[in-house]
Amino acid sequence: DAKTTQPNSMESNEEEPVHLPCNHSTISGTDYIHWYRQLPSQGPEYVIHGLTSNVNNRMASLAIAEDRKSSTLILHRATLRDAAVYYCILGAQGAQKLVFGQGTRLTINP
Amino acid sequence: GAVVSQHPSRVICKSGTSVKIECRSLDFQATTMFWYRQFPKQSLMLMATSNEGSKATYEQGVEKDKFLINHASLTLSTLTVTSAHPEDSSFYICSARPYDSGDPDTQYFGPGTRLTVL
């Protein structure tokens, strides 16, 4: 499974944008970039995914580098409810399983 | 949409007993369901992949005779922890992949079941 590297933790302030980086230098051409987050004592929640182009949805934006070796999850205006562990995961289409790394623990200050 | 439930949410049992955890996709059909385990302060570890109507595929190091998985229908998978011991105490999470999903490999997760073995 292709590996991703994320900072262990990040901190931001409420109502400010948050940029969560992910490095995946060994990504293959067919790997999708998935982001999930896990709030305390809950199961993970799907956030966003992309292949080559930047993606937006109601939760976040995903910016993918041109060489696809890194990506950034953008929370445009963080709230206290965004405090969670964010996982960046690579998955080849059809591979089915997701392999979770350690993720980034995001703390939001009021 | 895409809601996955788990039952029970929390269970405490005595050492040596068996515990069954149910995972249901409430508003979609799932050909594939996954079972994960998560110890405190750690990430999720995939235990097994189950496809409806066939035997589960277990990850390396996971004992298939201890963790019995049954995927009886397109909306229900069960995990039975047999002869549970304190080291099996963990947070068990299931996920489901919608049948004929247009999203590549997106999984929807249940809320988790916290198992404590005394």
Side-chain angles (χ1 to χ4, degrees):
Chain A
D1 301 306
K3 185 176 170 58
T4 62
T5 304
Q6 299 177 253
N8 288 333
S9 62
M10 288 185 65
E11 203 168 319
S12 186
N13 297 319
E14 202 175 6
E15 298 188 3
E16 290 184 357
V18 180
H19 291 235
L20 295 162
C22 180
N23 286 319
H24 29 79
S25 58
T26 59
I27 190 170
S28 73
T30 56
D31 282 339
Y32 281 79
I33 302 160
H34 302 264
W35 283 83
Y36 286 79
R37 72 180 186 181
Q38 186 178 23
L39 278 66
S41 299
Q42 295 187 29
E45 174 187 28
Y46 166 79
V47 178
I48 201 166
H49 75 275
L51 183 61
T52 55
S53 304
N54 294 343
V55 185
N56 300 297
N57 65 20
R58 63 175 181 81
M59 287 182 71
S61 295
L62 176 59
I64 301 173
E66 199 169 327
D67 63 5
R68 300 212 322 128
K69 294 186 176 181
S70 65
S71 61
T72 302
L73 179 72
I74 303 166
L75 306 179
H76 294 285
R77 200 159 171 262
T79 69
L80 295 178
R81 288 177 292 180
D82 292 320
V85 178
Y86 286 78
Y87 297 98
C88 168
I89 304 168
L90 300 184
Q93 187 171 8
Q96 294 198 3
K97 67 180 184 181
L98 299 174
V99 178
F100 284 76
Q102 292 305 307
T104 296
R105 182 174 298 278
L106 176 64
T107 301
I108 304 295
N109 299 314
Chain B
V3 178
V4 176
S5 71
Q6 280 183 243
H7 178 80
S9 58
R10 187 180 296 266
V11 57
I12 300 172
C13 69
K14 291 183 179 179
S15 186
T17 61
S18 295
V19 174
K20 180 185 283 189
I21 302 169
E22 291 186 349
C23 175
R24 293 181 186 272
S25 55
L26 298 184
D27 51 2
F28 65 96
Q29 292 184 325
T31 49
T32 306
M33 288 184 168
F34 305 85
W35 287 95
Y36 296 81
R37 181 166 56 177
Q38 186 175 33
F39 292 108
K41 305 288 187 187
Q42 295 186 23
S43 186
L44 283 78
M45 185 194 79
L46 179 65
M47 300 175 67
T49 301
S50 78
N51 290 293
E52 186 265 338
S54 62
K55 287 184 180 180
T57 302
Y58 290 82
E59 295 297 303
Q60 192 172 7
V62 178
E63 300 174 57
K64 62 181 180 181
D65 294 329
K66 179 167 184 65
F67 299 100
L68 302 179
I69 292 171
N70 185 286
H71 194 154
S73 75
L74 287 173
T75 59
L76 173 64
S77 176
T78 60
L79 168 69
T80 301
V81 183
T82 62
S83 186
H85 287 96
E87 58 265 30
D88 298 322
S89 298
S90 188
F91 193 47
Y92 291 86
I93 306 168
C94 73
S95 71
R97 184 164 178 258
Y99 172 74
D100 201 23
S101 169
D103 290 325
D105 308 315
T106 297
Q107 295 180 23
Y108 298 96
F109 287 80
T113 296
R114 189 161 303 281
L115 170 64
T116 302
V117 185
L118 302 176

